[in-house]
Amino acid sequence: MSAASPLPEGLAELALPLERLVSPKSAGPLKKHLGLGTVGELLNHFPRRYLNRGELMPIEQVPLNEDVTIMARVLSAGDRRPMRGRKGHIQDFVVTDDSGISTLKVTFFNNFGAQSQLKPGVLALFSGKVTLYQRQRNLTSPDYELLPDDELSGQEADFKAQRPVPVYPATAKVSSWRIEKVVAAVLDAVDLDVLPDPLPAEIAARERVPSLAESYRQIHQPMLAEEWQRARDRFRFQEALVLQTALARRRFQAAAEEATARRGSAEGLLARFDSALPFTLTNGQQEVGAVLAGELAAHHPMNRLLQGEVGSGKTVVALRAMLQVIDSGGQAALLAPTEVLAAQHYESIRSILGPLAEGGMLGGFDGGTQVTLLTGSQSAAARKRALLDTASGTAGIVVGTHALLSDNVQFFDLGLIVVDEQHRFGVEQRDLLRSKAVKPPHLLVMTATPIPRTVAMTVFGDLETSTLRELPAGRAPISTHIAGLENPRWVQRIWARAREEIDAGHQVYVVCPKIGTDDDGDGSLPPADEPSLSARASRELAEVTAVVEQLNLERALAGTRIEALHGKLDPTAKAETMAAFAAGDVDVLVSTTVIEVGVDVPNATLMVILDADRFGISQLHQLRGRVGRGGLPGTCVLVTALEPGHPSRRRLDAVAATTDGFVLSQEDLKLRREGDILGASQSGGRSTLRLLRALQHEDIIAQAREDAWAIVEKDSYLLDHPALDAAIEGYLNPDNEAFLERG
Ligand code: ADP
Ligand code: MG
């Protein structure tokens, strides 16, 4: 919205700076510490929860060392005493919850107000950080606020005392009730009835939500629990609609962009590739292939997410799309998250294309193309060559890491971008690559992490999605076992089992959470659902270097060839080790999660994951997808030192129980915090969504999406929906914008 244009009535109210309504002393800290500068920002800063005056939160459940707001009753007030070695005095109070048993010691320095106000029996809100000292919970110099309380006023019980107490997201500098007071002043000063409602009237009526004005009053100053619940439902739906409309509009605009149609040709590379393919495409591959072919041939850019298990044949589908583009005179770029993966893609694409990839070379097919690799670790000469082939168009397919994004990479005519394993690529990177094409290129994002429907609708709402559900025939099943170290026989059994595989001519992966050279592994973050992490951090975790040494001494493995692979190795060493393993020259590959994605060695049949409890569900599932790829049954052993029944070991049970990635990703989602799923954790730790939870509110999201589509279809610029348009602008702060662009 441009600064010059006058805001419509109501919107102007929302944009009003708080200092215009309340004293700078009240407004200043809100702006400074919470970023709340306008009426709209404050009104949309909703209470996180509500306290019931009847029920105090058990003090034992109050989290330690976090900013908290606690309601408690004063049990006793200690004597005021002088401070040792300093001027001034100190006074302790003991407060309690409903149990009257667990208590909290509250200490004030030089606070005469506290002495006169915090009489035994008084109910108050306290805000600060609770710490544990000598097994006693302490709260030092908290901010506090007395609550009107019917126990004290007896017969004349103030009706106000029955009201739920809103608890706002607050900070040490601005307590919840200071926010509450400013909100009260603003609610009084602003004519809420003129505020424009982002929910179109018909939708508000259908959803039977209270009016916007009523909702603001009820979410901030509820008289009854039902009131804030109703108000929250309305704002939740409103949030879903705002988000879905933003996505729908984005998708609509993307679809309206012009792209070069890449129709392919009847006798081109794709046709030859298909006729030479050593297997038949699965039904899923054919169906998705037809969809992609149609979209590539259109004058608007394709924006599609392709999901499917590891090994479901996504790469083949993507390759066929690339060939269609090459057949139409364009180029395709394949962006991989790591050097290892880029090199693997490069090799496997070249080998599957055979003579088709030897365009211009002796013995190659006349109309063939070239596949080029572009990575950061190439020699200067190889890189120069690759850059030239890319710029001249000689290279039909350019495979690379983020080196593809650097300034000096120019394409002759980039028609299709394929992003493999999207979750490791940022928005800016994708946009950078897009900017290398004259017209918007077609985009295909591939992910092996199955994404539940609602998350897809929320996070990738602007991409169309396709899913490969079946694995190619002949794919042998993977059996997964948990090896608890509480049973010492397991340890020996594992390496004996590895020996059996090797003797049968197969290969073995051993995965460790750490490298062993003063590091924390290759970014295999401890799973987010691990509360007792610090307690366990002291235990030694399996490290690649140590495990290699140990296995070299292991009798069962005598005479086998064991190598290490991890992110700290230099790229040449990494590539060599990977190539040796792929060639069957290494029996046991001990590695970190560098092998997590995409690596394809069909002869590997056993994977042993050490300290498996350190990995997340989807990571484990991805990892085990590395075995059982060559028609040979795969086995995965999850080794853990945790005792059966330990919460983190249940995660392993889930992985062992099913190989259905969709079931597992639902499971995973339940265990993780929302912010992690939506990727907001990197941008400051708070989830981008305010009231919505992707899994919990599936119905709401689906309904809002339908509504959003209907709105955007008729009114794509939201000219008839100014309030909704403004709400989107307001919602899209930079964090949220990035969130929309993921995918
Ligand atoms: P993804 O990228 O989904 O992990 P790939 O496309 O790399 O899967 O396929 C995994 C392996 O299966 C590759 O070796 C590939 O050649 C093979 N493959 C792909 N599609 C089929 C199919 N329809 N039938 C048999 N093998 C297939
Ligand atoms: Mg793949």
Side-chain angles (χ1 to χ4, degrees):
M1 212 170 296
S2 85
S5 64
L7 292 168
E9 192 196 12
L11 287 179
E13 306 266 325
L14 287 174
L16 213 58
L18 289 174
E19 306 96 73
R20 300 273 280 278
L21 300 178
V22 298
S23 73
K25 201 167 152 261
S26 301
L30 260 58
K31 172 83 188 161
K32 182 160 175 228
H33 300 292
L34 291 163
L36 304 173
T38 64
V39 166
E41 284 163 0
L42 183 68
L43 288 180
N44 289 312
H45 188 69
F46 299 144
R48 194 205 318 271
R49 60 197 167 91
Y50 300 83
L51 298 175
N52 236 324
R53 285 173 210 235
E55 324 145 19
L56 308 190
M57 183 200 237
I59 281 174
E60 272 155 15
Q61 287 174 19
V62 174
L64 297 176
N65 305 312
E66 281 177 29
D67 285 322
V68 290
T69 302
I70 311 163
M71 182 160 46
R73 199 175 290 284
V74 178
L75 203 59
S76 62
D79 287 333
R80 210 147 57 79
R81 53 186 201 276
M83 268 190 277
R84 244 177 281 156
R86 252 189 290 171
K87 277 223 289 227
H89 65 265
I90 181 170
Q91 185 173 19
D92 293 330
F93 295 83
V94 177
V95 302
T96 183
D97 55 24
D98 273 344
S99 75
I101 298 167
S102 48
T103 57
L104 177 68
K105 189 167 103 183
V106 181
T107 306
F108 290 97
F109 302 99
N110 299 325
N111 190 328
F112 290 95
Q115 186 186 17
S116 58
Q117 293 182 312
L118 295 177
K119 304 268 192 241
V122 162
L123 188 65
L125 289 176
F126 297 89
S127 123
K129 285 192 172 71
V130 174
T131 55
L132 203 57
Y133 180 68
Q134 295 183 338
R135 309 178 110 225
Q136 162 75 47
R137 284 167 191 265
N138 287 274
L139 187 57
T140 304
S141 305
D143 213 348
Y144 68 91
E145 170 84 354
L146 303 185
L147 290 173
D149 183 18
D150 48 342
E151 254 182 50
L152 286 180
S153 43
Q155 294 292 73
E156 295 147 60
D158 182 359
F159 180 60
K160 227 179 141 186
Q162 303 300 327
R163 285 197 189 170
V165 179
V167 179
Y168 288 91
T171 72
K173 293 284 193 314
V174 190
S175 66
S176 175
W177 54 90
R178 279 180 210 284
I179 299 170
E180 191 183 335
K181 281 181 184 144
V182 183
V183 168
V186 167
L187 288 176
D188 277 349
V190 173
D191 181 1
L192 297 175
D193 292 315
V194 306
L195 297 183
D197 191 346
L199 280 190
E202 356 32 288
I203 295 179
R206 186 199 65 211
E207 293 291 313
R208 299 210 195 128
V209 297
S211 74
L212 185 63
E214 210 180 325
S215 302
Y216 274 128
R217 265 184 226 107
Q218 293 184 349
I219 204 157
H220 290 294
Q221 300 182 327
M223 302 296 245
L224 303 161
E226 296 81 66
E227 290 190 349
W228 65 253
Q229 286 158 359
R230 262 160 36 105
R232 202 180 49 184
D233 286 348
R234 114 68 103 207
F235 286 116
R236 182 174 285 146
F237 188 83
Q238 183 177 319
E239 179 177 1
L241 185 72
V242 167
L243 182 59
Q244 291 299 331
T245 307
L247 291 165
R249 195 173 56 171
R250 206 181 138 77
R251 177 139 90 167
F252 183 89
Q253 285 165 358
E257 279 182 294
E258 282 271 311
T260 308
R262 312 283 180 175
R263 294 196 185 80
S265 92
E267 279 150 40
L269 291 169
L270 179 55
R272 286 184 177 259
F273 175 78
D274 282 348
S275 63
L277 205 58
F279 47 74
T280 30
L281 296 174
T282 64
N283 290 335
Q285 283 172 319
Q286 286 177 27
E287 280 161 27
V288 175
V291 170
L292 298 190
E295 289 185 346
L296 292 172
H299 287 282
H300 303 292
M302 169 173 90
N303 282 296
R304 190 164 281 277
L305 173 72
L306 174 57
Q307 40 179 343
E309 294 270 346
V310 164
S312 59
K314 295 182 297 298
T315 310
V316 171
V317 170
L319 184 56
R320 295 185 66 249
M322 293 190 234
L323 294 176
Q324 177 173 337
V325 169
I326 297 168
D327 284 339
S328 327
Q331 291 169 288
L334 173 57
L335 201 51
T338 64
E339 299 237 346
V340 169
L341 254 181
Q344 267 234 329
H345 271 309
Y346 172 70
E347 292 299 343
S348 69
I349 287 177
R350 273 167 47 109
S351 93
I352 193 166
L353 286 181
L356 299 183
E358 292 164 13
M361 275 181 249
L362 213 57
F365 162 61
D366 267 353
T369 187
Q370 273 183 31
V371 185
T372 293
L373 178 67
L374 230 170
T375 67
S377 63
Q378 278 173 316
S379 71
R383 188 176 164 78
K384 196 168 162 202
R385 181 76 211 268
L387 286 173
L388 273 175
D389 289 346
T390 304
S392 68
T394 312
I397 298 177
V398 184
V399 183
T401 54
H402 45 266
L404 269 184
L405 305 172
S406 67
D407 276 347
N408 55 0
V409 179
Q410 293 300 331
F411 287 82
F412 180 70
D413 180 12
L414 180 57
L416 169 66
I417 299 172
V418 179
V419 180
D420 192 14
E421 305 301 343
Q422 139 305 307
H423 52 283
R424 300 203 180 183
F425 269 109
V427 189
E428 311 79 28
Q429 293 176 312
R430 206 189 68 206
D431 283 350
L432 252 173
L433 199 57
R434 275 184 161 204
S435 72
K436 292 184 181 296
V438 185
K439 282 188 190 174
H442 300 282
L443 173 71
L444 179 65
V445 175
M446 302 195 288
T447 176
T449 312
I451 299 165
R453 201 171 70 95
T454 43
V455 177
M457 283 193 301
T458 316
V459 183
F460 301 102
D462 59 337
L463 298 178
E464 313 276 342
T465 53
S466 300
T467 305
L468 292 176
R469 290 197 171 273
E470 52 182 332
L471 295 180
R475 196 57 54 80
I478 302 173
S479 57
T480 304
H481 310 276
I482 299 175
L485 293 184
E486 73 275 0
N487 182 352
R489 294 231 317 274
W490 259 114
V491 189
Q492 283 180 323
R493 178 73 197 113
I494 294 166
W495 304 125
R497 181 79 173 68
R499 183 57 188 242
E500 288 162 22
E501 291 298 326
I502 295 167
D503 286 345
H506 303 149
Q507 291 160 281
V508 178
Y509 289 109
V510 178
V511 182
C512 310
K514 297 188 79 184
I515 298 173
T517 48
D518 266 356
D519 75 282
D520 298 318
D522 284 349
S524 57
L525 293 173
D529 51 336
E530 178 59 83
S532 57
L533 209 59
S534 47
R536 292 177 43 229
S538 55
R539 199 174 58 76
E540 299 271 312
L541 292 174
E543 303 174 339
V544 173
T545 43
V547 169
V548 168
E549 278 171 34
Q550 180 206 330
L551 294 187
N552 274 322
L553 298 174
E554 177 63 48
R555 285 201 17 225
L557 294 177
T560 60
R561 295 155 300 179
I562 302 171
E563 289 289 346
L565 183 73
H566 56 73
K568 292 273 152 67
L569 294 174
D570 76 78
T572 338
K574 248 189 305 189
E576 273 170 21
T577 304
M578 214 40 242
F581 189 66
D585 294 337
V586 170
D587 299 310
V588 181
L589 186 69
V590 183
S591 77
T592 53
T593 52
V594 288
I595 55 153
E596 183 182 346
V597 273
V599 170
D600 195 6
V601 178
N603 194 45
T605 49
L606 173 66
M607 174 174 287
V608 179
I609 305 179
L610 300 175
D611 289 313
D613 48 277
R614 299 299 296 218
F615 300 99
I617 286 182
S618 28
Q619 213 175 5
L620 291 170
H621 181 60
Q622 291 258 4
L623 279 168
R624 77 173 156 187
R626 305 291 116 226
V627 293
R629 287 170 78 84
L632 302 162
T635 306
C636 175
V637 182
L638 306 174
V639 182
T640 176
L642 296 181
E643 64 281 6
H646 186 288
S648 295
R649 187 157 157 174
R650 273 187 236 134
R651 204 167 48 224
L652 305 188
D653 295 335
V655 176
T658 179
T659 47
D660 184 330
F662 284 85
V663 171
L664 286 174
S665 83
Q666 291 277 3
E667 203 64 37
D668 204 12
L669 212 49
K670 280 190 216 147
L671 292 171
R672 276 165 187 266
R673 289 167 307 186
E674 200 82 9
D676 296 329
I677 303 152
L678 300 176
S681 51
Q682 293 95 326
S683 60
R686 69 201 164 85
S687 171
T688 327
L689 299 182
R690 290 179 190 151
L691 297 171
L692 275 179
R693 294 295 169 260
L695 260 197
Q696 256 168 284
H697 304 128
E698 175 162 351
D699 295 348
I700 297 175
I701 293 171
Q703 177 63 57
R705 180 178 165 91
E706 209 175 284
D707 292 338
W709 275 85
I711 291 170
V712 169
E713 219 158 62
K714 287 207 206 87
D715 179 20
S716 50
Y717 293 96
L718 300 179
L719 298 176
D720 298 331
H721 297 84
L724 183 55
D725 190 26
I728 293 174
E729 298 286 330
Y731 194 83
L732 297 187
N733 61 43
D735 278 5
N736 286 329
E737 190 96 57
F739 157 73
L740 280 186
E741 305 239 358
R742 284 165 57 86

